Amino acid sequence: DTEVTQTPKHLVMGMTNKKSLKCEQHMGHRAMYWYKQKAKKPPELMFVYSYEKLSINESVPSRFSPECPNSSLLNLHLHALQPEDSALYLCASSQEEGTDTQYFGPGTRLTVL
Amino acid sequence: QKEVEQNSGPLSVPEGAIASLNCTYSDRGSQSFFWYRQYSGKSPELIMSIYSNGDKEDGRFTAQLNKASQYVSLLIRDSQPSDSATYLCAATNAGGTSYGKLTFGQGTILTVHP
């Protein structure tokens, strides 16, 4: 089973709202990732967690705040977003950080009004 | 500076033909290579992973890796309309500042017409 789940599927929020995206995997993977994908572009890495610790932050604005409560869960807290933050947000996981295959969840389509 | 480049598309092939997708990478430290398929509005789906020089076959798909030439390709035999999607080539590096990062090419849009 290589399933990564994400909720919600779609999210519409105003610029003053606070919302959270959730990601879950039960494959025993120790690395989890957040990506942002704009239309007709490849995914862009935002954050990497390895063994529940933040390993990589790709200079993401502080209005995006990741959290890894345990080895199966990954959250992305959103606050004071801008319309240009509207995108498909993808979660992925891999056995270990590094060269292992990354499996993607279905994504959350975020629209910021 | 792009680290992974894919042949410019879009690519259009007739049903039943072989589709050839190509990718080059600039980082000689790259060790793992992946092909993902992405349907419009959906997330990337892993098609193939390849780590060693040579060919790797899985059903209608064959990935080829040539580390000396820094080249990786994906062949799709007996192409079907359901193969119409964007194909993303990606690479990871086992060390250095790129450790843990999956670097994607820009993607090649494939259309298989009946």
Side-chain angles (χ1 to χ4, degrees), chain B residues 13-15 81 112-114:
Chain B
V13 300
E15 184 174 356
V112 181
H113 52 88

Side-chain angles (χ1 to χ4, degrees), chain A residues 33 35 37 41-43 45 48 56 58 88 90 97-106 109, chain B residues 31-32 34 36 38 41-44 46 49 51 88 92-94 99-102 104-106:
Chain A
Y33 310 79
Y35 289 85
Q37 187 176 26
K41 296 290 187 183
L45 182 66
V48 180
I56 296 176
E58 288 287 89
L88 180 67
L90 296 162
E97 183 185 5
T99 57
D100 286 349
T101 302
Q102 292 185 28
Y103 297 94
F104 285 85
R109 176 72 60 187
Chain B
Q31 294 195 337
S32 304
F34 308 92
Y36 288 88
Q38 188 170 25
K42 303 295 186 181
S43 66
L46 180 72
S49 59
Y51 306 94
L88 295 163
T92 59
N93 192 313
Y99 179 77
K101 298 182 184 179
L102 189 60
F104 286 94
Q106 290 299 304

Side-chain angles (χ1 to χ4, degrees), chain B residues 20-96:
Chain B
S20 178
L21 304 165
N22 303 313
C23 175
T24 58
Y25 59 95
S26 59
D27 186 353
R28 285 201 171 272
S30 298
Q31 294 195 337
S32 304
F33 304 88
F34 308 92
W35 284 99
Y36 288 88
R37 176 176 65 195
Q38 188 170 25
Y39 293 114
S40 181
K42 303 295 186 181
S43 66
E45 173 193 7
L46 180 72
I47 297 296
M48 295 281 282
S49 59
I50 187 164
Y51 306 94
S52 304
N53 278 330
D55 296 357
K56 180 180 178 182
E57 186 174 322
D58 183 0
R60 296 185 296 111
F61 300 94
T62 299
Q64 300 173 317
L65 174 61
N66 184 324
K67 290 188 176 181
S69 301
Q70 296 179 242
Y71 173 91
V72 58
S73 66
L74 180 69
L75 298 178
I76 306 175
R77 290 181 300 281
D78 188 24
S79 296
Q80 300 297 309
S82 59
D83 294 325
S84 299
T86 297
Y87 287 79
L88 295 163
C89 174
T92 59
N93 192 313

Side-chain angles (χ1 to χ4, degrees), chain A residues 21 65 95:
Chain A
L21 309 184
S65 176
Q95 190 65 45

